[in-house]
Structures are given as C-alpha cells and as structure tokens.
Amino acid sequence: ETGVTQSPTHLIKTRGQQVTLRCSSQSGHNTVSWYQQALGQGPQFIFQYYREEENGRGNFPPRFSGLQFPNYSSELNVNALELDDSALYLCASSLDPQGRETQYFGPGTRLLVL
Amino acid sequence: KNQVEQSPQSLIILEGKNCTLQCNYTVSPFSNLRWYKQDTGRGPVSLTIMTFSENTKSNGRYTATLDADTKQSSLHITASQLSDSASYICVVKQSNYQLIWGAGTKLIIKP
C-alpha cells in the first residue's frame, strides 16, 4: 500500500454529465499529479498541483480541471463527459514538484462513460 | 518528438527464468528515467529512478541499466516469480514537470 487513496473506485456516467474524482495524498506529500490511462496504454499526464496551485498541465482540454486543498488532497473534475473519457484515472503524490522524488500512485478510479 | 518506446510488447517466460525488458527514448532535455510495475487495474509502483550519471540501479531482483549516450535503458528481472506478472512501464522525465510514459511491456510468468 502506498498511502494514496482514491474515491470512488468505479463510476459509470453518461455523455454530457460531469464527474468529480478525489485523491488523498500520502501524509506530508505536497505535490499531486493526475493521469488518464486508457486500456492497454501508458498513463497520460493531465496536470500537477503543488501547494494548492496548478504548476503543470498536459495536453488535455479545459473541461478537465482540478483543485488541491490545504491538506494537499485533490480533486479532478471533468465536465461535458465524452465516450473517450472512459479510462482509469490515477493520482500520484510526491514530496517534490520537480519529480526528483518517487511518486506514489493510488489504486485509481475506473470511469465508464456510456 | 519526445517518445519512449518499449520492447517487447509482451513476454511469456517460465517461473525461475530471467528476462530483460528494453526501453529506448528520444526525450530531451533529460532529467531522469524510471521503471514502474503495474498490476492489472492497480496504480503503478516505482521500481527504480536513475539520473543521467547513474548506469545501474538495483531493487531486489530488479536491476535497471541506463546508457544516456545511446538513450537506452533495460530492466532485468532475475529468478522470476509468479507475482512478477504485470506490466512494466518505462518513464522518462524531462527537465521540467513533464513525464513521458512508454506503453509498457506485459510480462506473464508461467509455472
């Protein structure tokens, strides 16, 4: 166990709906990154939060947004869901926003969009 | 284009045998290279992180090598166990926050 938890574990939504995924980082970790992993592919970087501010973003549209709270837990929000948003969403926490320290991943939230 | 390519795509070996997974990258500027193990439906677990100056790093039965000149890395697994069945993903970090992920090698260990 890495100490990183995510909720919910599974979720089914329909096209056009909105979804919020949650992540609790490992104790003391101030950096949280979110990834989207389609079946059979490697994770794709969505964005990273460091001390409550977004400090890096991958190639995802603005309907993917996030938050980090003072306790360093984080949310990923996706608006106007599309079928291609179906994937495993992973969050990872670390002590270092520059990526010099190990990232610890949560178990993921599997999202299915119908 | 920044890319990480892994080979083979999948591999089946017998329990107790050794195997080597390959990773070639074209990512620049380079910061570090990581190997992760990912069980089906679970989050990745870090095995090793290597910087430009490191050639070899071990973690138990896992040994990673890095040749920064040829931009190649390998992950060697010794005396494989059934629990080694998983996807192994090579990830290269640029000198900013960006991580470039490979598609992974799916390893199956048969008894």
Side-chain angles (χ1 to χ4, degrees):
Chain A
E1 296 296 326
T2 64
V4 179
T5 60
Q6 290 185 245
S7 63
T9 55
H10 297 81
L11 200 52
I12 300 175
K13 291 284 190 179
T14 56
R15 269 188 309 176
Q17 283 190 308
Q18 178 266 343
V19 70
T20 297
L21 310 182
R22 295 178 176 83
C23 171
S24 290
S25 59
Q26 193 170 62
S27 178
H29 284 190
N30 53 26
T31 303
V32 173
S33 302
W34 285 92
Y35 296 86
Q36 180 194 68
Q37 186 174 24
L39 202 60
Q41 298 184 24
Q44 298 294 312
F45 174 70
I46 302 175
F47 44 55
Q48 176 176 283
Y49 278 83
Y50 170 64
R51 293 183 182 271
E52 302 179 59
E53 300 225 349
E54 183 182 298
N55 76 333
R57 190 176 182 94
N59 189 27
F60 279 80
R63 60 190 185 84
F64 286 78
S65 63
L67 279 175
Q68 187 178 31
F69 300 100
N71 65 355
Y72 301 137
S73 65
S74 178
E75 285 183 356
L76 164 65
N77 299 292
V78 187
N79 293 324
L81 283 167
E82 301 176 1
L83 297 180
D84 285 350
D85 295 333
S86 296
L88 180 68
Y89 288 85
L90 296 163
C91 84
S93 75
S94 72
L95 283 167
D96 174 23
Q98 298 303 317
R100 291 164 296 196
E101 298 292 330
T102 298
Q103 279 185 312
Y104 294 89
F105 283 82
T109 292
R110 186 161 294 283
L111 173 65
L112 177 61
V113 181
L114 301 175
Chain B
K1 184 179 177 184
N2 291 310
Q3 283 186 312
V4 175
E5 295 183 350
Q6 293 187 241
S7 62
Q9 194 172 41
S10 61
L11 183 63
I12 301 173
I13 63 171
L14 292 175
E15 185 181 10
K17 297 295 186 182
N18 303 335
C19 66
T20 300
L21 314 180
Q22 300 291 341
C23 173
N24 297 336
Y25 62 93
T26 58
V27 178
S28 180
F30 174 90
S31 177
N32 60 53
L33 185 145
R34 306 138 181 244
W35 282 93
Y36 285 92
K37 176 186 178 186
Q38 185 174 24
D39 293 311
T40 302
R42 306 285 297 273
V45 174
S46 178
L47 297 176
T48 62
I49 299 177
M50 288 189 292
T51 59
F52 186 89
S53 59
E54 294 175 294
N55 300 121
T56 303
K57 185 165 275 191
S58 291
N59 177 1
R61 294 180 296 103
Y62 301 102
T63 299
T65 66
L66 173 64
D67 185 334
D69 292 331
T70 62
K71 297 189 176 182
Q72 295 179 325
S73 176
S74 67
L75 180 69
H76 186 75
I77 304 174
T78 304
S80 61
Q81 300 175 359
L82 297 178
S83 59
D84 292 333
S85 293
S87 287
Y88 291 83
I89 308 176
C90 173
V91 184
V92 178
K93 182 182 175 298
Q94 293 182 283
S95 299
N96 51 31
Y97 57 83
Q98 280 283 14
L99 294 174
I100 312 298
W101 293 69
T105 292
K106 187 174 177 61
L107 177 64
I108 297 172
I109 310 298
K110 292 205 162 183

